Structures are given as structure tokens and as C-alpha cells.
Amino acid sequence: MGQIQANTLTHMYCDAVIVGGGPAGAVAARELSLCGKQVVLLDASQTTRQKIGESLPGAARPMLDKLGLLPWVENAASLTNKGNLSSWGDDKLRETDFIRDPYGCGWHLDRQHFEQNLRNAAVDSGAFLLRERLSSLIENDEGIHIQAGEFNISTPWMINACGTSQFVASQLGAVRQKDAPLFAIYTWCESDSPDSRSTVEAAPSGWWYTAGLPDGKRVVAFFTLAQQAKALLRNKNHFISALKETTYISRHGVGEKIIAEPLHITEATASYLKKAVSEHWIAVGDAAVSFDPLSSQGIYNAIYTGLRGAEAVNTALNTNDHSLLSQYNERIKSIRDAYRREVSQYYRQEQRWSRHRFWQIHQADRE
Ligand SMILES: Cc1cc2nc3c(=O)[nH]c(=O)nc-3n(C[C@H](O)[C@H](O)[C@H](O)COP(=O)(O)OP(=O)(O)OC[C@H]3O[C@@H](n4cnc5c(N)ncnc54)[C@H](O)[C@@H]3O)c2cc1C
């Protein structure tokens, strides 16, 4: 396989372009490169900015091991997560202890470090990493033509791994369906709490989450409706007061620590594409199906679908056989159905605030 020399070319041709260098895109790029395909991995992420989404369950261990990615994860300055604590449905705090889990403990990742390691693994396998943003694309009978910065790239296959961003999906004419609205308002702070386990606590207008991070820091997030999240973003004192009203999250002593830290906001609404596969493209990771962060399923699914999507594209490139692509599309539907059943059951368990808007919206969406 010849290496792509992008510094001498502004027009490239390759077997597949992967748009998005998060976990799904990096894994897909690595897999296709290992199969001997010429791959461009296009990524526009800002590597200096901290990224939320740190919890990876131990259930990912066998898959990472099989892929040869376990060392890349364990090198990512990750912290062992020995269990989850949850106050949901009543005032009690329940513990799920991972020590007895057949897959072992999970991880709290330094997310940037983790993703950088996965991209390095892809580049190590021969993928060409182009730090550019896809700005436009045209699909025709032969394939897809992409514009990214100064580069024009033509390819028979594009893997959409750009997360929940609507831009690329709408350029491809794909329709994104959304579940009940969910927004996260969050921050990171120094922490001297000795307990790094994940803690979830339901509240009248949403739910709180905190977890210890590898560098002695802690993430604190509140998941709620857009209006409430925006109001808390405007007034940090209200965020701190709401945090102090919690029974368990506040015990980590974070109230004072976040005074000097900026608050961030992001949409966390679960969503999916009605069709994750077409003639010249396939969607993987959040681009295909994304989950309520309560499920901690996003990174696992990104790695799994990145792998399966790449296998299906590789077969289509080798033999023009599209049956694996159809199977992949069905698999995405079954993942989404199983997720909906599980998350609905979880939201229905919380009946203390069933007259509050957040719970009404989230419980009605799950009937
Ligand atoms: C608040 C919050 C908390 C979460 N917590 C967890 C958690 O604890 N555990 C968990 O498993 N999951 C969590 N998730 C979900 C998890 O983060 C996602 O499921 C996961 O990031 C999906 O990976 P991905 O590779 O599909 O997409 P992403 O990680 O979103 O990566 C997409 C990449 O595409 C790039 N990109 C976008 N548009 C373009 C473009 N036009 N051109 C080039 N590149 C582009 C982006 O820069 C980015 O690098 C959380 C999500 C949220 C919102």
C-alpha cells in the first residue's frame, strides 16, 4: 500500500475517508488500515480542550484486548473505576461494586489522552491523519468528493464518525431523530475526595453526576432541560446552590472548589439515524446512534460500531458484497431498541418528582 503524501497533494484519492477522529473514527481508521486499505482520517477536534465523557465500563475490556487496543487505553492516564454509586428512586445510596464484575473494574479516562492514543494507534497502522474540517461534500455514482481546508478528496467510501453534529448528516441527506431533550451543564475542579467512584443522584429537575479523574481532578455535571441548563450557565451561584442541595454529590466537597472554574454546556439528547448505511457511506459511533449519558454506553458503542462498520466497508471494497452493510444497519437498530428498553425502565424507577417537567418529559418519551 502506498502512503498518502498530503503535503505534496491537494487532490487525493483513497479507499475510504473517515470523518471524525473520536473513538469511533479512530478505531474504524485503524481497522481499515490494518486490512491494507488507504485511509484518510479527517479530524477537526481541538486537542488542547478538555472533553467530557470519561467513564468506560469494564465490559469493554475483552473487545479492547481482542483489538490490541488495551495497552493504548491503559496508557491513557486512566484511573480504575471500582464501582458506581447511585441515589435514584429513593433517598438511599446504592453501590455497584465492579470488583465482583466478571469483566473487572472500569476506567475514568483522561478523555483527550485516550482519543489521542487511539488516533496514534490508527496512524501507526498506516492511516493518514489530516487535521482539517470537512466543509462540503458531493455524492455521485462513483462515490463521494470531499472538501476539507485546501484538500479535495475523492473516495468510493466515507465513514461518518463525526458524532452528533448535524452538518455532515444533512450534507448526506440523512435524517436524525431525537429523543427527549437533555442538556449537560458541567465543570472540572480540583478534588481531594478519596472516593473516585462515579456517583449519580436524581434531583427534582434532572440528575447529577460526579467522578474522580486521573489527574486529581473531578468532573461535576447536571443533566436537565435546555432552559434550566442555560439559566444555571448564566448564574454560577445558582449552580453551586443547587449542588449544595444534593445529599451525596455535595459530600465530595466540590461546592467551594468550582467557584473559580468556568461552567460549560452541551446537548446530550440521545439520537439516531433512521438509516445508518447508504451506497457510499456508513455512520458509526454517535453519528449512527447516541445515548443518554446515564447509560455510560457511548464510548463502548463508538469502538464497537467503528470496528463493525470498518469490517463491512472492507468487505464492500474487496468484493462489492453489501450484505455486511445491511447486517450492520440491522445491528444498529437492535442496539437502539435494547437501549430504549433499558433506559426507559431506569427513568420510570424515579417517581418522586413525577409532577416536575423534567421527569414528565423524560418518562413520557419512554412509554
Ligand atoms: C455530557 C456528556 C457526558 C458523557 N459521558 C459519557 C461517559 O461517561 N461514558 C461514555 O461512554 N459516554 C459518554 N458520553 C457519550 C460519549 O462521549 C460519546 O458516545 C462518544 O464521544 C462517541 O464517540 P464518537 O467517536 O462517535 O464521536 P465524538 O467523540 O463526538 O467524535 C467526533 C469527532 O468528529 C469531529 N468532527 C465533527 N465534525 C467534523 C467535521 N465536519 N470535519 C472533521 N471532523 C469533525 C469532532 O471534532 C470529533 O473529534 C457522554 C456524552 C455527553 C454529551
Side-chain angles (χ1 to χ4, degrees):
M1 184 196 71
Q3 289 289 313
I4 299 167
Q5 300 291 328
N7 51 353
T8 58
L9 291 174
T10 50
H11 198 138
M12 293 186 254
Y13 177 88
C14 60
D15 295 318
V17 176
I18 289 100
V19 185
V27 166
R30 179 170 183 270
E31 185 61 21
L32 274 174
S33 300
L34 287 173
C35 293
K37 299 295 180 287
Q38 275 197 332
V39 168
V40 172
L41 175 58
L42 207 61
D43 189 48
S45 59
Q46 286 173 307
T47 48
T48 49
R49 203 191 272 176
Q50 209 163 353
K51 183 168 170 180
I52 192 159
E54 56 298 310
S55 186
L56 181 61
R61 184 172 276 104
M63 177 171 68
L64 291 168
D65 198 19
K66 206 167 156 202
L67 288 172
L69 285 171
L70 200 51
W72 295 89
V73 174
E74 287 181 330
N75 284 343
S78 51
L79 186 74
T80 301
N81 180 22
K82 296 188 181 126
N84 288 339
L85 300 167
S86 165
S87 170
W88 193 277
D90 60 31
D91 292 342
K92 292 196 188 93
L93 189 65
R94 292 182 176 77
E95 183 185 357
T96 310
D97 185 348
F98 295 154
I99 306 284
R100 277 176 237 116
D101 190 300
Y103 298 113
C105 294
W107 298 272
H108 285 163
L109 305 162
D110 174 329
R111 185 65 194 262
Q112 279 293 10
H113 199 145
F114 166 69
E115 290 194 6
Q116 190 57 54
N117 274 6
L118 292 185
R119 285 190 290 267
N120 288 345
V123 170
D124 251 32
S125 309
F128 182 79
L129 176 63
L130 197 56
R131 289 220 153 273
E132 295 284 357
R133 173 170 293 278
L134 179 149
S135 52
S136 67
L137 64 84
I138 297 169
E139 186 176 4
N140 61 20
D141 291 348
E142 278 92 56
I144 297 196
H145 306 277
I146 288 169
Q147 178 84 44
E150 304 216 315
F151 298 93
N152 292 300
I153 317 170
S154 301
T155 182
W157 275 98
M158 185 185 119
I159 299 188
N160 175 8
C162 69
T164 52
S165 150
Q166 183 50 38
F167 176 72
V168 174
S170 55
Q171 295 259 312
L172 293 164
V175 183
R176 197 161 195 90
Q177 308 287 320
K178 284 189 173 191
D179 289 350
L182 188 67
F183 283 74
I185 175 134
Y186 60 95
T187 189
W188 293 275
C189 61
E190 299 297 325
S191 170
D192 37 32
S193 167
D195 192 346
S196 62
R197 290 174 295 180
S198 310
T199 309
V200 169
E201 181 173 347
S205 55
W207 54 272
W208 289 86
Y209 168 79
T210 186
L213 293 173
D215 53 0
K217 289 201 164 184
R218 173 164 286 281
V219 60
V220 183
F222 183 51
F223 292 83
T224 185
L225 299 177
Q227 210 182 358
Q228 169 86 351
K230 284 178 193 161
L232 292 173
L233 183 70
R234 283 194 296 272
N235 192 333
K236 197 196 285 176
N237 287 336
H238 287 176
F239 181 79
I240 295 171
S241 305
L243 170 61
K244 285 185 174 164
E245 280 169 25
T246 62
T247 309
Y248 302 105
I249 301 283
S250 58
R251 286 189 190 166
H252 291 282
V254 281
E256 289 69 33
K257 301 264 168 57
I258 60 180
I259 290 168
E261 305 295 338
L263 292 179
H264 309 268
I265 190 168
T266 187
E267 185 166 5
T269 307
S271 60
Y272 64 103
L273 288 189
K274 274 198 161 169
K275 212 162 160 266
V277 170
S278 191
E279 278 300 297
H280 298 290
W281 61 265
I282 181 169
V284 297
D286 274 13
V289 55
S290 77
F291 312 97
D292 186 319
L294 190 60
S295 72
S296 277
Q297 210 178 321
I299 304 172
Y300 180 98
N301 181 68
I303 295 170
Y304 174 77
T305 56
L307 173 68
R308 292 284 170 255
E311 285 170 353
V313 169
N314 186 47
T315 305
L317 281 165
N318 287 344
T319 61
N320 209 22
D321 173 3
H322 285 208
S323 57
L324 269 192
L325 289 159
S326 309
Q327 282 173 33
Y328 173 85
N329 196 44
E330 290 309 307
R331 183 79 187 107
I332 294 291
K333 281 188 196 157
S334 65
I335 290 171
R336 157 95 187 148
D337 290 346
Y339 155 76
R340 285 281 293 179
R341 280 195 297 277
E342 211 172 300
V343 82
S344 303
Q345 209 180 9
Y346 208 63
Y347 270 91
R348 276 200 232 104
Q349 275 172 24
E350 181 50 86
Q351 291 296 326
R352 284 174 292 173
W353 301 291
S354 50
R355 295 173 78 177
H356 284 67
R357 218 168 110 69
F358 175 85
W359 295 101
Q360 281 180 345
I361 288 176
H362 278 266
Q363 284 161 354
D365 182 55
R366 298 168 201 285
E367 274 159 12

